[in-house]
Amino acid sequence: MEIRRSLPQDMRELLHCLKMRSKYAVLLVFVIGLVIIEKENNFISRVSDKLKQSPQALAEANGTEISPAPAENGSLASLQELDAAFSQLRSHLYNITLQLAGDGDPGPRRHILLMATTRTGSSFVGEFFNQQGSIFYLFEPLWHVEKTVTFLPGGASAVGSALVYRDVLKQLLLCDLYILENFILPAPEGHLTPFLFRRGSSHSLCEEPVCTPSTKKVFEKYYCKNRRCGPLNITLAAEACRRKQHVALKTVRIRQLEFLQPLVEDPRLDLRIIQLVRDPRAVLASRMVAFSGKYETWKKWASEGEAPLHEEEVQRLRGNCESIRVSAELGLRRPGWLRGRYMLVRYEDVARAPLQKAREMYRFAGLPLTPQVEEWIGKNTQAPHDGNGVYSTCKNSSEQFDKWRFSMPFKLAQVVQDACAPAMQLFGYKLAGSPAALANRSFSLLEEAQPAWVT
Ligand SMILES: *[C@@H]1O[C@H](CO)[C@@H](O)[C@H](O)[C@H]1NC(C)=O
Ligand SMILES: *[C@@H]1O[C@H](CO)[C@@H](O)[C@H](O)[C@H]1NC(C)=O
Ligand SMILES: *[C@@H]1O[C@H](CO)[C@@H](O)[C@H](O)[C@H]1NC(C)=O
Ligand SMILES: *[C@@H]1O[C@H](CO)[C@@H](O)[C@H](O)[C@H]1NC(C)=O
Ligand SMILES: *[C@@H]1O[C@H](CO)[C@@H](O)[C@H](O)[C@H]1NC(C)=O
Ligand SMILES: *[C@@H]1O[C@H](CO)[C@@H](O)[C@H](O)[C@H]1NC(C)=O
């Protein structure tokens, strides 16, 4: 203080000036430093956010997974880490490009429902999905529901059963296979059952790890075709379902498309519905063979013409055709909730060009058709001889699909044509006006399929 006071006035001013400047300088350096750090931080955190997002973008497509929000933290990332991260990002992008090119990117989880009626070739078309390794396929699981839940005849029964079917279906699509335990008879114990209907028709239930070693001799009503497995462990099956990328299910027990709206709108599902139809004349011919007992009156009437055909039989036929037509009309009308989720397929078109139709179905489902499926189709549609058994899917399909024409009595065809005319018109099945027309090989009973059948 003494010294300072002793300095001349201008000297003191100079000192003061210097002090002020250095204060400013320090401030300036501090501000610049802040700006640089902030910029760096921003840059780093932006890049690191990008890096965090890129795997997330993949997972996002996976509707079932909710990714954690990226942390706002980049300040510790060193440039070295950044470099490593950059090359990882590049590798990621490269992988994504490869996958987009069609190399096994599983994509988002899809749920495919093959909706059909009996004897329409649904086992055959179902195989298109069963053969795909990344799809968990179930063959007619609602069979159990039908066997155990009985509804009184009358108006309410159709609604009642449709609601039960729908809700069970939803749980199955979500891989909650335990729901079936309520309907399997005898009831499973400890989630184990040897009685799951047609287990052998579902690859996913007959491969590791769902196929457990069979230990002791247990009576298995439904067993795997190519190997011996222990009773089905439903927990293992449900785990396999969750592990597989997609779920597909075939059923002949869902009649009304409108009942499926809650499933289509369920955010946990990405449902694609394929409705499979077939010429009702062919369906009747096939049912008379497969469900012989149920069609006694039809057979008697067709062969002898003595026993009269009950009006209620014809009404049932008409009812079946109408429910199929009503569903198809709803689908083809493209209501908002169904857009992009409904496809109508004629069995005859599948039989004539199986591979092409399989491709169309997979495209509709948003899945790549794998070589496994192509191979199966190749093997199973060109069999030189008639397949074995009525449920066989191994036939020369383009030869088989209209064989019924040549053995069906014309009057039987006529009854179907009368009862099912509106449906036949919608689906492009031509009416045969005479026995000669029915049996005329060069007269096709098929109109060309409409491209608008995929919505
Ligand atoms: C999708 O989710 C399942 C189960 O949460 C998971 O195992 C699978 O790896 C996910 N797929 C992708 C592409 O993230
Ligand atoms: C920032 O990230 C690093 C590495 O990812 C982590 O170790 C650190 O705890 C994070 N810091 C904050 C504040 O989140
Ligand atoms: C890209 O794919 C290769 C080969 O499949 C794999 O080794 C690599 O880890 C993948 N990179 C990323 C970032 O996933
Ligand atoms: C069925 O599988 C689950 C899951 O692996 C297992 O915990 C359970 O013990 C199995 N049940 C039986 C009876 O083996
Ligand atoms: C299957 O039937 C079609 C049509 O009749 C015929 O062209 C084809 O050669 C048959 N394939 C075999 C393997 O018999
Ligand atoms: C069979 O159908 C073709 C094409 O419709 C027709 O030209 C031909 O006359 C028919 N044959 C008989 C015997 O009806």
Side-chain angles (χ1 to χ4, degrees), residues 234-394:
I234 294 174
T235 304
L236 284 178
E239 283 168 4
C241 177
R242 283 193 291 271
R243 243 188 341 265
K244 294 253 173 170
Q245 190 61 33
H246 313 286
V247 180
L249 212 148
K250 153 190 131 69
T251 179
V252 295
R253 288 170 174 82
I254 298 278
R255 289 302 174 85
Q256 295 122 306
L257 187 59
E258 62 186 285
F259 278 97
L260 297 178
Q261 182 168 357
L263 270 63
V264 171
E265 290 174 343
D266 192 313
R268 295 167 297 177
L269 299 175
D270 184 351
L271 188 64
R272 311 285 159 117
I273 300 164
I274 298 176
Q275 186 181 2
L276 180 68
V277 299
R278 187 182 183 189
D279 190 325
R281 292 165 295 197
V283 171
L284 179 63
S286 177
R287 284 183 185 160
M288 285 170 68
V289 176
F291 314 132
S292 183
K294 277 192 182 171
Y295 283 84
E296 275 311 325
T297 48
W298 285 91
K299 286 196 296 188
K300 272 216 180 86
W301 177 77
S303 60
E304 299 155 18
E306 296 306 327
L309 195 53
H310 294 300
E311 181 54 25
E312 61 193 55
E313 298 275 3
V314 180
Q315 281 304 340
R316 191 174 308 135
L317 176 66
R318 192 189 314 271
N320 285 343
C321 282
E322 282 302 281
S323 75
I324 296 167
R325 181 186 63 83
V326 167
S327 285
E329 270 181 355
L330 172 61
L332 298 179
R333 216 182 300 137
R334 301 166 182 246
W337 61 273
L338 253 187
R339 200 152 300 155
R341 303 194 175 276
Y342 175 82
M343 181 184 191
L344 178 64
V345 175
R346 289 189 306 192
Y347 170 69
E348 291 79 6
D349 296 321
V350 179
R352 289 188 303 170
L355 194 53
Q356 184 199 326
K357 275 292 164 190
R359 285 207 184 94
E360 287 174 22
M361 284 184 244
Y362 268 82
R363 200 181 309 128
F364 161 74
L367 305 178
L369 186 73
T370 59
Q372 298 159 293
V373 181
E374 291 190 21
E375 197 182 312
W376 185 90
I377 291 173
K379 268 195 210 145
N380 289 277
T381 55
Q382 289 154 17
H385 299 295
D386 202 336
N388 32 13
V390 285
Y391 287 99
S392 163
T393 53
C394 185

Side-chain angles (χ1 to χ4, degrees), residues 1 8 42 45 61 92 115 143 145 191 221 225 254 292-295 303 336 338 346 357 376 398 416 427 445-446:
M1 285 300 192
N42 241 346
S45 68
H92 244 306
M115 176 182 162
W143 181 88
V145 180
H191 304 304
K221 186 152 186 215
K225 289 166 189 160
I254 298 278
S292 183
K294 277 192 182 171
Y295 283 84
S303 60
L338 253 187
R346 289 189 306 192
K357 275 292 164 190
W376 185 90
S398 61
V416 181
F427 301 134
L445 291 176
L446 281 177

Side-chain angles (χ1 to χ4, degrees), residues 89-329:
L89 177 64
R90 200 172 50 194
S91 155
H92 244 306
L93 283 176
Y94 181 71
N95 285 5
I96 290 167
T97 320
L98 276 187
Q99 287 167 352
L100 285 182
D103 257 2
D105 169 27
R109 191 173 183 81
R110 303 261 197 244
H111 305 85
I112 300 154
L113 178 67
L114 183 59
M115 176 182 162
T117 49
T118 53
R119 312 313 295 172
T120 53
S122 60
S123 306
F124 175 67
V125 176
E127 283 298 320
F128 293 3
F129 298 103
N130 189 30
Q131 296 295 326
Q132 224 271 38
S134 67
I135 296 179
F136 185 85
Y137 174 76
L138 287 179
F139 179 99
E140 217 57 64
L142 299 181
W143 181 88
H144 290 288
V145 180
E146 187 182 274
K147 282 285 167 281
T148 46
V149 181
T150 50
F151 294 94
L152 296 171
S157 70
V159 175
S161 59
L163 294 181
V164 176
Y165 286 146
R166 180 192 71 194
D167 290 350
V168 172
L169 187 63
K170 172 155 75 178
Q171 292 312 108
L172 293 176
L173 289 171
L174 290 169
C175 293
D176 172 14
L177 303 189
Y178 296 125
I179 189 90
L180 277 182
E181 294 193 13
N182 302 301
F183 304 99
I184 294 173
L185 289 177
E189 280 172 38
H191 304 304
L192 281 188
T193 180
F195 295 107
L196 187 86
F197 181 58
R198 297 284 299 268
R199 173 187 184 178
S201 297
S202 185
H203 261 315
S204 310
L205 300 181
C206 291
E207 63 188 14
E208 304 281 355
V210 186
C211 179
T212 51
S214 80
T215 42
K216 51 181 182 236
K217 280 234 179 259
V218 183
F219 169 66
E220 278 187 276
K221 186 152 186 215
Y222 304 107
Y223 46 85
C224 292
K225 289 166 189 160
N226 301 327
R227 58 194 299 185
R228 284 193 57 79
C229 304
L232 183 69
N233 180 333
I234 294 174
T235 304
L236 284 178
E239 283 168 4
C241 177
R242 283 193 291 271
R243 243 188 341 265
K244 294 253 173 170
Q245 190 61 33
H246 313 286
V247 180
L249 212 148
K250 153 190 131 69
T251 179
V252 295
R253 288 170 174 82
I254 298 278
R255 289 302 174 85
Q256 295 122 306
L257 187 59
E258 62 186 285
F259 278 97
L260 297 178
Q261 182 168 357
L263 270 63
V264 171
E265 290 174 343
D266 192 313
R268 295 167 297 177
L269 299 175
D270 184 351
L271 188 64
R272 311 285 159 117
I273 300 164
I274 298 176
Q275 186 181 2
L276 180 68
V277 299
R278 187 182 183 189
D279 190 325
R281 292 165 295 197
V283 171
L284 179 63
S286 177
R287 284 183 185 160
M288 285 170 68
V289 176
F291 314 132
S292 183
K294 277 192 182 171
Y295 283 84
E296 275 311 325
T297 48
W298 285 91
K299 286 196 296 188
K300 272 216 180 86
W301 177 77
S303 60
E304 299 155 18
E306 296 306 327
L309 195 53
H310 294 300
E311 181 54 25
E312 61 193 55
E313 298 275 3
V314 180
Q315 281 304 340
R316 191 174 308 135
L317 176 66
R318 192 189 314 271
N320 285 343
C321 282
E322 282 302 281
S323 75
I324 296 167
R325 181 186 63 83
V326 167
S327 285
E329 270 181 355

Side-chain angles (χ1 to χ4, degrees), residues 281 284-285 288 298-305 403-417 432 434-436 438-439:
R281 292 165 295 197
L284 179 63
M288 285 170 68
W298 285 91
K299 286 196 296 188
K300 272 216 180 86
W301 177 77
S303 60
E304 299 155 18
K403 222 180 74 175
W404 60 272
R405 292 177 65 173
F406 311 109
S407 53
M408 183 178 229
F410 179 66
K411 66 173 182 178
L412 201 53
Q414 252 179 328
V415 171
V416 181
Q417 292 180 170
S434 64
L438 184 63

